[in-house]
Amino acid sequence: MLLKLTLLLLLALPTLALDNGLARTPPMGWMSWERFRCNIDCRNDPNNCISEALYKDMAEQLVEDGWLKLGYEYLIIDDCWSFTSRDSRGRLMPDPVRFPNGIPKLAHYVHQLGLKLGIYADMGTHTCAGYPGTTLEQIQTDAQTFAEWQVDMLKFDGCNSNAEEQQQGYPLMSKALNATGRPIVYACSWPVYRGGLPPSVNYTLLGEICNLWRNYYDIEDSWDSVLNIVDWFFQSQDYLQPASGPGRWNDPDMLIIGNFGLSLEQSKAQMALWAIMAAPLIMSNDLRTLSSEARNILQNKAVIAINQDPLGIQGRRILKDEGHIEVFWRPLSKSASALVFLSRRTDMPYRYHSTLSLLNYTTGSYTAYDVFKDEIVFLPSEKTHFTITINPSGVVMWYIYPD
Amino acid sequence: MLLKLTLLLLLALPTLALDNGLARTPPMGWMSWERFRCNIDCRNDPNNCISEALYKDMAEQLVEDGWLKLGYEYLIIDDCWSFTSRDSRGRLMPDPVRFPNGIPKLAHYVHQLGLKLGIYADMGTHTCAGYPGTTLEQIQTDAQTFAEWQVDMLKFDGCNSNAEEQQQGYPLMSKALNATGRPIVYACSWPVYRGGLPPSVNYTLLGEICNLWRNYYDIEDSWDSVLNIVDWFFQSQDYLQPASGPGRWNDPDMLIIGNFGLSLEQSKAQMALWAIMAAPLIMSNDLRTLSSEARNILQNKAVIAINQDPLGIQGRRILKDEGHIEVFWRPLSKSASALVFLSRRTDMPYRYHSTLSLLNYTTGSYTAYDVFKDEIVFLPSEKTHFTITINPSGVVMWYIYPD
């Protein structure tokens, strides 16, 4: 018993995706940028600077605290890992003080733990933080270097290049990575540098050359930033939603849960909305000091299962209510679906009344599982009235299956 | 060894304050508005509607969980307590369904617990939520009613009246309360309805007739709202800071710590900045379900002691740094002082370097107590360099005393 819209979405799915067989569900893992930025001050801040020690710390945490088991498998190095110039053979090299053992050793360490390693490069003369970039001529070399280093994912940023160079460079890197023979997930920042929307961005092409792509600005450690990203993605859903699918994902940027700017309600909201968006679940936080509340949200198995649903259909916003409640919906495999009710209110918990019928569900009896409350709600008919209480800047998230 | 600025502030203190001997330090307590608003739906939401049951619940929590011991003594009823019309004698009366035992019984209950009771009225034809207001002719009656009911504080709002009526009404209520012979703390919303600043607001007069006053808009459950209030109060500090002192306080509105919109860092920031402002510490939250983290912040003895310092000198913002760090300072009794370092950054913890000398401290050796970390920092000289780490949307707060 599929929902009407599901069928439409399935029929509308483009058939092409980057043919490397990777990222059939949204990638999950950890990335350094939002939480650790370009902190290279290892002398005064040795535990928090961009260094092999930091990545090893996080790799260990990913395994020890059960992250890997849940799917968080990519440990991703971001900008500021490299030395200020290339080596004598013109190859990228890591900063020798902060990465004394080099990337291959780090990759080996990470692989031994059962994790995969991601690395960062930039299509352009310099990275965003001013380190050596990858010009068109250097793409071949760098792809080969990363493959030799046994890297499993490349985040390819786009600072310091123009539209023409990007138009050539992003497809070229895709081919170069493919040519290495090593399976390397390819994460492109291209669309964000071109405004994120057609006609400047060609999502059909992106799906053919990249496994995931950043469409919009960097996330910051604030609820305003999360809402700004959510607004943009759902306002643009007619363009973005069909572009996404197994092997090709929109990336609204990192999960900032566990840092400093989100309340627990807001943390649940980010997790829920990223699951609806079929977004990569790439945390950027300090796994060494995470609160148990933050960990419970990030490790919520039901939300992860929704995010990782094998159909890989991105969800949509289906309702904006005058009470400042918004409803989001994502079709899932086995005729199931997910609903998220978001409150943009700043007053008090809001009692929201609705029926599944009002949310476009077809005739039938349903069971709803509240993923954060761990509670079951029976809905004998699609017309059964229900009332849920949504907290300010919080969500209620339901996994729904027909009986 | 007083700081230079302290002396200036002390000399500048106006001598007049409302002569009822009350509120010699900023009032502390709990108020229903921000968290429970005008929820009168006791049928569907019995545990959260504005009713004597809610106030009794909170009264019990205030005692049982140690709030009263720490100074949180006022339990304050806000709007929506009253019936939709006055009684046959023209007196305000509570809603008979939601307050079946009436206010005197509730006052008695509250007093037995060792607490004090506050109530809400509005200078105007109707309250902000549309309940019966207090017109000029009714001021005498209402003051007498509240005194007979054994009320200990009046919040006098200003919806539905004009500037002229407020100009007459607020002083009139002050006299009427005084004439009852019962000590009643008088909280005036007058300034907020007149834009909060001179020349429309006469702070000398306010200090003579009110114990505290709302200068600015209602707080909402969000960090944006807290920052907006903080911005306004410190931008206006040249007007507001001298207006405050024992018996007469600026009121930036309720503490929203423990609700839904603030992270823990942001919660510490609100608590710290309210202490610097010598603001009333009036919580509006659900004391029945407060997290232990929120409780620890609200019950921090050092922060409360700073807020309640007997000198009663409001603090000031003394620095806005280009790194988006702001520094706030408040002089305290016994030559002590408080400093708050606020980060408006949204990236990562910021390492801030300074000396007390750069923050206008005079020659000497000092000890700083980090009130949230519960750590001591020794500063052998005012020129001693120190580095503190301030989290995004968070604070470091120091209580400083000369050695």
Side-chain angles (χ1 to χ4, degrees):
Chain A
M1 186 193 312
L2 284 172
L3 305 174
K4 286 168 275 183
L5 197 44
T6 317
L7 276 168
L8 283 173
L9 291 174
L10 282 168
L11 293 169
L13 285 179
T15 48
L16 286 168
L18 173 54
D19 202 17
N20 61 5
L22 299 173
R24 305 305 296 170
T25 60
M28 296 173 66
W30 184 94
M31 180 181 272
S32 51
W33 185 259
E34 198 293 311
R35 176 60 182 80
F36 294 96
R37 307 280 166 155
C38 194
N39 179 0
I40 56 170
D41 186 4
C42 290
R43 211 169 55 136
N44 294 307
D45 201 9
N47 294 323
N48 299 299
C49 65
I50 299 300
S51 66
E52 64 181 42
L54 181 73
Y55 292 107
K56 286 171 87 171
D57 272 3
M58 295 305 162
E60 287 157 22
Q61 292 294 143
L62 282 171
V63 176
E64 282 169 22
D65 290 347
W67 300 101
L68 172 57
K69 246 183 353 212
L70 290 161
Y72 292 95
E73 62 177 341
Y74 286 94
L75 177 80
I76 308 162
I77 299 169
D78 209 291
D79 203 351
C80 306
W81 63 271
S82 93
F83 190 52
T84 50
S85 61
R86 288 173 176 261
D87 72 10
S88 55
R89 293 184 294 159
R91 290 167 34 133
L92 288 171
M93 60 177 283
D95 182 281
V97 174
R98 295 183 284 115
F99 293 82
N101 297 297
I103 305 296
K105 281 255 174 68
L106 181 58
H108 181 67
Y109 183 82
V110 161
H111 289 149
Q112 269 196 322
L113 289 170
L115 297 162
K116 294 181 169 137
L117 185 68
I119 203 164
Y120 169 100
D122 184 280
M123 172 66 239
T125 54
H126 297 85
T127 71
C128 298
Y131 290 86
T134 303
T135 58
L136 291 171
E137 301 70 37
Q138 293 162 327
I139 283 176
Q140 201 81 7
T141 306
D142 291 353
Q144 276 161 12
T145 303
F146 297 142
E148 279 171 33
W149 288 353
Q150 307 286 292
V151 159
D152 307 292
M153 178 190 277
L154 172 65
K155 173 176 178 176
F156 202 35
D157 211 341
C159 275
N160 306 305
S161 56
N162 61 32
E164 178 51 39
E165 290 160 338
Q166 291 167 4
Q167 182 78 33
Q168 289 185 54
Y170 279 98
L172 206 59
M173 179 60 90
S174 184
K175 279 190 199 122
L177 290 173
N178 209 38
T180 67
R182 182 171 177 84
I184 298 178
V185 171
Y186 182 35
C188 300
S189 299
W190 190 10
V192 64
Y193 289 92
R194 303 271 62 87
L197 293 177
S200 313
V201 175
N202 179 343
Y203 278 106
T204 308
L205 174 61
L206 273 173
E208 290 163 16
I209 66 163
C210 308
N211 291 116
L212 62 158
W213 47 78
R214 285 281 312 284
N215 317 60
Y216 193 61
Y217 299 123
D218 286 4
I219 199 164
E220 297 282 324
D221 192 3
S222 76
W223 177 235
D224 280 354
S225 173
V226 171
L227 278 187
N228 181 255
I229 288 171
V230 166
D231 279 338
W232 187 86
F233 272 81
F234 288 102
Q235 277 158 15
S236 317
Q237 63 187 359
D238 288 346
Y239 299 112
L240 304 182
Q241 192 273 335
S244 166
R248 48 190 174 81
W249 308 103
N250 294 301
D251 180 4
D253 212 4
M254 293 158 268
L255 295 168
I256 57 167
I257 297 161
N259 294 328
F260 309 100
L262 297 191
S263 71
L264 288 178
E265 293 297 324
Q266 293 159 0
S267 300
K268 290 178 195 169
Q270 194 194 14
M271 192 71 184
L273 292 167
W274 262 235
I276 287 288
M277 287 192 275
L281 298 181
I282 311 288
M283 306 179 281
S284 190
N285 49 19
D286 190 343
L287 297 172
R288 302 166 300 191
T289 58
L290 214 58
S291 73
S292 58
E293 288 88 350
R295 183 159 55 234
N296 288 341
I297 294 167
L298 289 161
Q299 295 198 343
N300 185 301
K301 285 183 184 173
V303 186
I304 292 173
I306 291 166
N307 174 273
Q308 296 286 304
D309 185 82
L311 274 186
I313 300 174
Q314 181 171 332
R316 296 173 68 93
R317 179 163 58 196
I318 57 171
L319 201 76
K320 288 177 79 164
D321 190 84
E322 71 281 0
H324 300 286
I325 303 299
E326 299 181 6
V327 185
F328 304 83
W329 170 79
R330 181 180 169 187
L332 303 171
S333 53
K334 298 180 188 163
S335 307
S337 58
L339 281 176
V340 166
F341 304 86
L342 167 71
S343 170
R344 288 178 178 260
R345 303 178 71 92
T346 53
D347 54 353
M348 65 176 186
Y350 188 77
R351 290 166 58 81
Y352 185 72
H353 312 284
S354 193
T355 67
L356 288 184
S357 155
L358 286 170
L359 303 172
N360 306 322
Y361 279 68
T362 52
T363 310
S365 161
Y366 295 87
T367 300
Y369 173 64
D370 184 320
V371 302
F372 290 116
K373 273 199 188 159
D374 191 18
E375 278 176 15
I376 292 285
V377 182
F378 294 107
L379 301 163
S381 143
E382 79 285 359
K383 296 201 188 324
T384 305
H385 285 267
F386 61 80
T387 301
I388 52 174
T389 301
I390 317 166
N391 291 329
S393 61
V395 291
V396 169
M397 185 175 204
W398 279 2
Y399 173 79
I400 301 185
Y401 48 95
D403 298 323
Chain B
M1 187 192 309
L2 284 173
L3 307 174
K4 286 169 274 183
L5 197 44
T6 316
L7 276 169
L8 283 174
L9 291 174
L10 280 169
L11 293 169
L13 284 178
T15 48
L16 286 167
L18 174 53
D19 200 16
N20 61 5
L22 300 173
R24 305 305 296 171
T25 59
M28 296 174 66
W30 183 93
M31 180 181 274
S32 51
W33 185 258
E34 199 292 313
R35 177 59 182 79
F36 294 96
R37 306 279 166 157
C38 194
N39 178 0
I40 56 170
D41 186 4
C42 290
R43 211 169 55 136
N44 294 307
D45 202 6
N47 295 323
N48 299 300
C49 64
I50 299 300
S51 66
E52 64 181 43
L54 181 73
Y55 292 107
K56 286 170 87 172
D57 273 4
M58 295 305 163
E60 286 157 23
Q61 293 294 144
L62 282 171
V63 176
E64 282 168 22
D65 289 347
W67 300 100
L68 172 58
K69 244 180 358 211
L70 290 162
Y72 291 95
E73 60 177 342
Y74 286 94
L75 177 80
I76 306 162
I77 299 169
D78 210 290
D79 202 351
C80 306
W81 63 271
S82 94
F83 190 52
T84 51
S85 61
R86 289 175 174 258
D87 72 10
S88 54
R89 294 184 293 161
R91 289 164 37 131
L92 289 171
M93 59 177 282
D95 183 281
V97 175
R98 294 183 284 114
F99 293 82
N101 296 298
I103 304 298
K105 282 254 174 67
L106 181 57
H108 181 68
Y109 183 82
V110 161
H111 290 151
Q112 269 195 321
L113 289 171
L115 298 162
K116 294 181 170 140
L117 185 69
I119 203 163
Y120 170 99
D122 184 279
M123 172 66 239
T125 54
H126 298 84
T127 71
C128 299
Y131 290 86
T134 303
T135 59
L136 291 171
E137 300 71 39
Q138 293 163 327
I139 283 177
Q140 200 81 7
T141 305
D142 291 355
Q144 277 161 12
T145 303
F146 297 143
E148 279 170 33
W149 287 353
Q150 307 287 295
V151 159
D152 307 293
M153 178 190 277
L154 173 65
K155 173 177 178 175
F156 203 35
D157 211 340
C159 275
N160 306 304
S161 56
N162 61 35
E164 177 51 38
E165 289 160 339
Q166 291 167 4
Q167 181 78 34
Q168 288 185 55
Y170 279 98
L172 205 58
M173 179 58 92
S174 185
K175 280 191 198 119
L177 290 173
N178 209 37
T180 66
R182 183 173 177 83
I184 298 178
V185 171
Y186 183 35
C188 301
S189 299
W190 189 11
V192 65
Y193 289 92
R194 304 270 62 87
L197 292 176
S200 312
V201 174
N202 179 343
Y203 278 106
T204 309
L205 174 62
L206 274 173
E208 290 164 15
I209 65 162
C210 308
N211 291 117
L212 61 158
W213 47 78
R214 286 282 311 285
N215 318 60
Y216 193 62
Y217 299 123
D218 286 2
I219 199 164
E220 297 281 324
D221 192 3
S222 75
W223 177 236
D224 279 354
S225 173
V226 171
L227 278 186
N228 181 257
I229 288 171
V230 165
D231 279 337
W232 187 85
F233 272 82
F234 287 101
Q235 276 158 15
S236 317
Q237 63 186 0
D238 288 345
Y239 298 113
L240 304 181
Q241 192 273 335
S244 167
R248 48 191 173 80
W249 308 102
N250 293 301
D251 180 5
D253 212 4
M254 292 158 269
L255 295 169
I256 57 167
I257 297 161
N259 294 328
F260 310 99
L262 297 191
S263 71
L264 288 178
E265 293 298 324
Q266 293 159 0
S267 300
K268 290 179 196 168
Q270 194 194 14
M271 192 71 185
L273 292 167
W274 263 235
I276 287 288
M277 287 192 274
L281 297 181
I282 311 288
M283 306 180 279
S284 190
N285 49 20
D286 190 342
L287 297 173
R288 300 166 302 191
T289 59
L290 214 59
S291 72
S292 58
E293 288 87 352
R295 186 160 50 235
N296 288 341
I297 293 168
L298 288 161
Q299 295 198 342
N300 186 300
K301 286 183 184 173
V303 186
I304 292 174
I306 291 166
N307 175 272
Q308 296 286 305
D309 185 81
L311 274 186
I313 301 173
Q314 183 172 332
R316 296 173 67 93
R317 179 162 60 197
I318 57 171
L319 201 76
K320 288 178 80 164
D321 190 83
E322 71 281 359
H324 299 287
I325 303 299
E326 299 181 5
V327 185
F328 304 84
W329 170 81
R330 180 179 170 186
L332 303 171
S333 53
K334 298 180 188 162
S335 306
S337 58
L339 280 176
V340 166
F341 304 87
L342 167 72
S343 169
R344 289 178 176 263
R345 303 178 71 92
T346 52
D347 54 354
M348 65 175 186
Y350 188 76
R351 290 167 57 83
Y352 185 72
H353 311 283
S354 192
T355 67
L356 288 184
S357 153
L358 286 171
L359 303 172
N360 306 320
Y361 280 67
T362 50
T363 310
S365 162
Y366 295 87
T367 301
Y369 173 65
D370 183 319
V371 301
F372 289 116
K373 273 199 188 158
D374 191 19
E375 279 177 14
I376 292 284
V377 182
F378 294 106
L379 300 163
S381 143
E382 78 285 359
K383 295 199 187 328
T384 305
H385 285 266
F386 62 80
T387 301
I388 53 174
T389 300
I390 317 167
N391 291 330
S393 62
V395 292
V396 168
M397 185 176 203
W398 279 1
Y399 173 79
I400 301 184
Y401 48 96
D403 297 325

